[in-house]
């Protein structure tokens, strides 16, 4: 990956249907505002998606960074390890231990 290419970082976590709104609220009003306040440069966009299953809700997060260097400033040198604050871990039933990274090739707005 080119360190100056835009990077999409993806991650999944699962919670109960009851805790899904609590987790979403935590992401929107606490986790990402704290990340922004801590001055993580290069985080351009966060997308939060969810899918309802019978007994759980899957969350799919997609973060867009302006470079791999910005990902490292967010997550550290071992940037593949998922960033999950302790208060979020308490709400989640399970989660991916690692984030997955993609080099953004094109973005089409149709």
């Amino acid at each position: 990956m080119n360190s100056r290419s835009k990077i999409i970082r993806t991650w999944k976590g699962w919670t109960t249907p009851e805790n899904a709104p609590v987790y979403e609220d935590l992401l929107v009003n606490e986790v990402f505002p704290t990340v922004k306040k801590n001055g993580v440069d290069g985080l351009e966009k966060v997308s939060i998606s969810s899918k309802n299953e019978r007994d759980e809700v899957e969350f799919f997060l997609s973060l867009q960074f302006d470079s791999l260097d910005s990902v490292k400033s967010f997550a550290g040198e071992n940037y593949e390890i998922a960033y999950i604050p302790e208060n979020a871990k308490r709400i989640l039933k399970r989660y991916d231990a690692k984030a997955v990274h993609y080099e953004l090739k094109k973005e089409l707005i149709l």
Side-chain angles (χ1 to χ4, degrees):
M1 266 185 244
N2 178 336
S3 69
R4 295 305 323 162
S5 298
K6 290 192 186 255
I7 303 297
I8 304 298
R9 175 184 172 100
T10 65
W11 174 86
K12 289 193 232 179
W14 294 261
T15 191
T16 63
E18 300 77 32
N19 280 338
V22 176
Y23 182 63
E24 183 177 342
D25 183 69
L26 181 75
L27 291 172
V28 171
N29 295 307
E30 211 173 305
V31 173
F32 289 110
T34 299
V35 167
K36 185 171 174 62
K37 187 178 75 181
N38 290 343
V40 174
D41 291 328
L43 176 56
E44 299 178 336
K45 186 173 15 176
V46 176
S47 298
I48 302 167
S49 305
S50 67
K51 178 171 79 168
N52 292 320
E53 299 290 347
R54 188 175 323 138
D55 59 345
E56 64 184 7
V57 177
E58 176 183 324
F59 278 86
F60 177 78
L61 303 185
S62 177
L63 288 68
Q64 181 174 310
F65 290 87
D66 67 356
S67 68
L68 187 56
D69 292 335
S70 294
V71 173
K72 290 177 180 176
S73 76
F74 166 72
E77 279 302 313
N78 198 354
Y79 63 90
E80 289 187 343
I81 293 176
Y83 169 79
I84 310 162
E86 285 304 315
N87 52 351
K89 285 182 181 177
R90 288 192 288 273
I91 298 170
L92 294 167
K93 285 173 56 179
R94 59 191 170 92
Y95 47 83
D96 291 343
K98 292 189 170 189
V100 180
H101 299 84
Y102 300 89
E103 188 173 341
L104 180 64
K105 295 296 186 181
K106 297 266 186 280
E107 191 168 43
L108 307 176
I109 298 175
L110 305 173

